[in-house]
Amino acid sequence: MAFAIGQFADSSMPVDRPMTRRLPQLQAVVLVGFMGAGKSSVGLLLAQHLGWTFEDLDHRIEQREQQTVAEIFRDAGEAGFRRAERKALKESIDGLRGGTEKVIALGGGAFVQDSNVRLIEEASLPTVFLDATVDELWQRCRRQAEQCALERPLLGNVQTFRELYESRRPHYAKASLRHETGGKSVEAIVAELIQALGLLPNAKLGEK
Ligand code: S3P
């Protein structure tokens, strides 16, 4: 999938700032960002390049709950979905103890929940905020809704989408790294992330 993304709306944040902390034993990279940020497509390709496992947290939630995300929202509301999301994230992080290396793509609201951020921080996992303009994010989500019949319970309309993005952005900004995806292909983004994180294909952080 090639992104044709516009320019980033807010120049107040440093772009692609390098990670200041090198982790001794990297076991996972966690991708965060709003709906349509490309977390799943970038995560899958990044994992393939690294020879790591790719895990889409929404997929894990659907498997453990035996319901789609949309069904969980319908039956249990957003609060019920967030509970399931936290359990799935904990399971995913606990699974790293077995030595599996993973790229984990979070759903758009997961990194907004303090308890999830704590779980990630306790495991010392680096987080990457994939960003784009809200207009581009909206266009991508609309396209995915039409082409893949992807149902996003919190998609709303362009106005509510924008407001939700703005309210969440300060949370995403706490990620270890922000990566601008504007005008870049998934392949280019992955190559840049490998570089920015100090990773080599099939290697651990720091094993350059
Ligand atoms: C959500 C985003 C979705 C999914 C759920 C809630 C959100 O994931 O987790 O619908 O709160 O923004 P994507 O970001 O992959 O669309």
Side-chain angles (χ1 to χ4, degrees):
M1 166 171 143
F3 298 148
I5 303 168
Q7 285 192 314
F8 185 57
D10 176 0
S11 56
S12 63
M13 285 178 67
V15 177
D16 299 346
R17 73 185 133 89
M19 290 183 66
T20 50
R21 198 162 49 114
R22 282 289 168 110
L23 302 166
Q25 280 293 319
L26 182 73
Q27 289 183 298
V29 171
V30 181
L31 302 182
V32 310
F34 203 54
M35 291 175 268
K39 302 176 296 284
S40 299
S41 43
V42 168
L44 179 61
L45 192 65
L46 179 61
Q48 283 170 355
H49 274 269
L50 297 172
W52 290 11
T53 298
F54 171 65
E55 188 162 282
D56 185 309
L57 193 68
D58 281 343
H59 185 61
R60 178 181 275 270
I61 296 167
E62 290 182 337
Q63 286 201 318
R64 76 187 302 284
E65 302 298 321
Q66 289 295 295
Q67 280 188 305
T68 65
V69 167
E71 286 167 348
I72 301 169
F73 265 82
R74 258 193 304 270
D75 292 356
E78 182 172 354
F81 175 76
R82 297 299 167 206
R83 280 193 294 276
E85 185 174 57
R86 188 183 184 284
K87 286 181 200 157
L89 180 62
K90 182 158 185 345
E91 264 176 22
S92 177
I93 292 176
D94 285 348
L96 295 170
R97 294 212 184 97
T100 312
E101 291 152 324
K102 289 185 202 172
V103 178
I104 305 172
L106 301 191
F111 200 61
V112 175
Q113 312 296 318
D114 288 343
S115 58
N116 293 339
V117 175
R118 266 198 304 278
L119 282 176
I120 293 166
E121 284 178 354
E122 279 163 18
S124 301
L125 302 178
T127 44
V128 178
F129 167 27
L130 295 181
D131 202 13
T133 63
V134 70
D135 290 335
E136 176 62 20
L137 294 167
W138 173 252
Q139 291 308 326
R140 289 186 205 163
C141 287
R142 294 298 312 151
R143 252 194 325 268
Q144 288 168 355
E146 282 159 21
Q147 291 171 1
C148 336
L150 182 58
E151 209 184 332
R152 286 184 161 108
L154 296 182
L155 188 63
N157 60 45
V158 68
Q159 183 57 29
T160 57
F161 186 85
R162 184 179 298 278
E163 286 165 7
L164 190 59
Y165 170 81
E166 296 298 344
S167 71
R168 286 178 172 182
R169 201 158 183 285
H171 296 272
Y172 301 142
K174 292 179 189 154
S176 326
L177 182 77
R178 184 182 80 80
H179 201 81
E180 174 57 54
T181 62
K184 297 171 189 169
S185 67
V186 173
E187 289 76 10
I189 296 165
V190 166
E192 289 169 358
L193 287 182
I194 287 174
Q195 177 96 30
L197 290 163
L199 291 162
L200 282 177
N202 295 309
K204 290 185 183 177
L205 191 78
E207 280 186 2
K208 273 186 170 183

